[in-house]
Amino acid sequence: MTALRLVVFYLACVTAHWWVGTHLSIAGASPSLLLAAAVAVATLGGPLAGHSFAFFCGLYLDFMSAGLFGGYSLAFTVCAYIIWFFKWRMDFAGAAAQMALAFALTVLVGLEYGVIGLVFTGKLIWRGWAYSILMPLFTAIVTPFLFIAAGMLSLDGGKRP
Amino acid sequence: MNKEKRLANLALLIFATLSLLFLVLPTGPVVGGARAILSFATYPFINTGENISEAAYGIPAGVVSLLKTEQENRRLREAEKEDALLRAQLEAALAENRRLSALSALAPVPRWKGIWAGVIERDPAHWNSSITINRGLRDGVAPHDPVIGVQNGKTGLVGKIIEVSRETSKVLLMTDDMFSVTCYVQGRGWDALAEGQGRELLRLNYLPTEAQPEAGAEVFTSPASVVYPPGLSIGAVLRVHPRENFMTFISADLVPTIRPGAVKEVYVLKKAAEARTK
């Protein structure tokens, strides 16, 4: 049942991400709803739900991009693992903490993707300062809402290791 | 290491390996298959989203259009009321006209019926003489049918049909020197004969010697005419010629209501055909 809810949530996030990216970009940047959703599910759900959701969110971004196929899915999976690692040590219940987490992870994903590009294509993928600053900012702003939405899925957060 | 940690590590291992495989493998069946599955799963939602988005973007324009249509509809309804009033007035005038015609033993004025026609030929050699129109026998046009036109919001006589072929007809313009029509001057009721002169102005002949029409007085077709319906505007008096001693009538120049040289479309009245069938 949880898996089905996650699939529905995933498809809703994919559609919303596409719509926001297509119609609501500001200065060439828009919030990464998929990353915010992946952060929320990875924080509120167990390791399997969090990792798989993050992987498929990244895979969708790979599918939509014309570049490296697998780069975003790898970066998102690593992010899910980092969240799982830290969620027992830090409190992400508040909106500010969620925003800070999303901001940091969006920057991290950008760096990861750049390094992956450097490894697999021989050149660092860099989208410019405006994109690299605005996108984490926008993503941080929408993250608390994604946490609220993910909270409605009644995910099993797992047990403290 | 407890179960949760093992599961997290395993998930990281599986998904990271999958991602790396996608990165390492050439764009072949594996990557292509993954792309196809994602495409199959997500495109319907994106398409639906696009459709909803387009519909949502169309709403403001649709609302503006609806508001404009509503305003236009209201204006047209008001105009229709005015038209209905005018129509009622016209019907009343026609009824009154029929009643008076019956009382005075005059023939009732029939309603105009006819067909619009376009001017397809006008030869500079007979500019004020004749034109050819794109209606003929096939459309019910017959010789002697009156031809009228509308110019600057005024309706007036143009001429009459003199030749008819299957698809075209020739119109003798009232400015031709072979053309004449019985007429009367507005207000005073003096009967006269309007004649073409082969130029732009018409000649009004046989006005009674006591008649002194003012410049600008309008001239209409007379009820005495057997070809033209009564009350059709012919033109307006331009100047009255001084009476010669030997003449028993006076004459005047007329400016045609419809300048035949500028007419592009005419209305052929089927009065002649109706009279024949009667």
Side-chain angles (χ1 to χ4, degrees):
Chain A
M1 200 61 194
T2 306
L4 186 66
R5 282 200 295 265
L6 272 176
V7 169
V8 172
F9 186 57
Y10 172 75
L11 290 172
C13 287
V14 160
T15 310
H17 180 88
W18 159 81
W19 192 87
V20 169
T22 310
H23 299 281
L24 284 183
S25 63
I26 299 164
S30 59
S32 177
L33 290 185
L34 284 176
L35 182 60
V39 168
V41 172
T43 307
L44 301 175
L48 190 61
H51 282 73
S52 55
F53 193 85
F55 171 79
F56 281 107
C57 284
L59 201 62
Y60 173 77
L61 291 181
D62 285 329
F63 166 67
M64 293 303 279
S65 71
L68 294 163
F69 190 77
Y72 277 117
S73 51
L74 180 60
F76 273 46
T77 305
V78 171
C79 278
Y81 188 81
I82 291 169
I83 292 167
W84 180 83
F85 186 79
F86 279 105
K87 77 176 183 178
W88 307 112
R89 294 166 178 79
M90 296 173 82
D91 181 15
F92 294 122
Q98 292 165 2
M99 288 168 77
L101 176 68
F103 187 90
L105 287 177
T106 313
V107 173
L108 181 68
V109 165
L111 290 174
E112 277 182 275
Y113 196 73
V115 172
I116 290 166
L118 190 66
V119 171
F120 287 93
T121 64
K123 58 179 181 182
L124 188 76
I125 298 171
W126 176 248
R127 305 237 165 111
W129 283 107
Y131 182 86
S132 303
I133 293 169
L134 285 176
M135 193 188 167
L137 198 68
F138 293 158
T139 307
I141 291 167
V142 298
T143 299
F145 300 102
L146 270 299
F147 265 83
I148 294 168
M152 294 173 187
L153 300 173
S154 309
L155 297 168
D156 175 15
K159 290 171 188 164
R160 191 186 177 95
Chain B
M1 192 185 286
N2 65 18
K3 188 186 165 192
E4 287 284 326
K5 195 173 181 181
R6 276 203 305 276
L7 197 61
N9 288 340
L10 188 66
L12 175 68
L13 186 70
I14 291 168
F15 291 123
T17 308
L18 264 176
S19 302
L20 284 169
L21 275 174
F22 286 143
L23 282 165
V24 173
L25 287 172
T27 312
V30 178
V31 174
R35 278 182 179 272
I37 290 167
L38 269 174
S39 163
F40 183 77
T42 56
Y43 265 140
F45 294 92
I46 290 173
N47 277 338
T48 309
E50 178 64 23
N51 291 340
I52 292 169
S53 179
E54 271 182 24
Y57 278 127
I59 286 171
V63 168
V64 169
S65 170
L66 260 177
L67 286 173
K68 279 185 180 169
T69 309
E70 169 60 21
Q71 283 174 349
E72 197 176 348
N73 194 21
R74 215 174 295 160
R75 191 177 55 75
L76 286 172
R77 250 185 256 157
E78 290 297 320
E80 197 189 14
K81 273 184 210 165
E82 290 287 322
D83 283 353
L85 208 66
L86 266 174
R87 210 177 304 125
Q89 223 171 345
L90 180 69
E91 293 290 342
L94 281 172
E96 178 69 1
N97 186 283
R98 274 193 297 272
R99 190 181 67 78
L100 290 172
S101 296
L103 278 175
S104 54
L106 288 171
V109 179
R111 286 201 176 188
W112 293 349
K113 283 180 186 170
I115 189 167
W116 282 101
V119 176
I120 55 169
E121 189 268 331
R122 185 199 306 273
D123 192 342
H126 45 258
W127 195 256
N128 290 312
S129 179
S130 65
I131 53 172
T132 306
I133 58 171
N134 61 353
R135 301 283 186 184
L137 283 171
R138 199 183 53 178
D139 307 293
V141 178
H144 307 296
D145 279 350
V147 179
I148 63 173
V150 180
Q151 224 167 51
N152 304 323
K154 283 187 133 185
T155 307
L157 188 65
V158 171
K160 68 171 181 178
I161 301 290
I162 50 167
E163 275 178 34
V164 186
S165 66
R166 187 175 149 72
E167 290 178 4
T168 61
S169 305
K170 190 167 275 183
V171 179
L172 181 74
L173 298 173
M174 62 177 173
T175 42
D176 184 80
D177 51 13
M178 295 286 287
F179 185 93
S180 63
V181 55
T182 51
C183 57
Y184 68 92
V185 182
Q186 184 188 23
R188 306 294 175 88
W190 300 305
D191 276 346
L193 190 72
E195 294 174 292
Q197 304 183 92
R199 58 190 183 105
E200 278 207 1
L201 295 179
L202 302 172
R203 185 85 163 191
L204 190 64
N205 280 328
Y206 309 116
L207 272 170
T209 49
E210 69 272 18
Q212 284 299 319
E214 293 154 6
E218 210 167 348
V219 177
F220 296 95
T221 51
S222 166
S225 172
V226 290
V227 176
Y228 306 100
L232 258 179
S233 176
I234 296 171
V237 174
L238 180 67
R239 74 178 78 89
V240 181
H241 294 289
R243 179 178 167 259
E244 301 289 347
N245 286 337
F246 61 91
M247 288 175 77
T248 54
F249 61 88
I250 58 170
S251 59
D253 279 342
L254 283 183
V255 180
T257 305
I258 307 293
R259 287 174 53 229
V263 77
K264 304 243 179 336
E265 204 173 27
V266 294
Y267 190 76
V268 182
L269 291 173
K270 293 187 176 174
K271 184 173 169 278
E274 277 169 19
R276 276 192 299 275
T277 52
K278 280 174 189 172

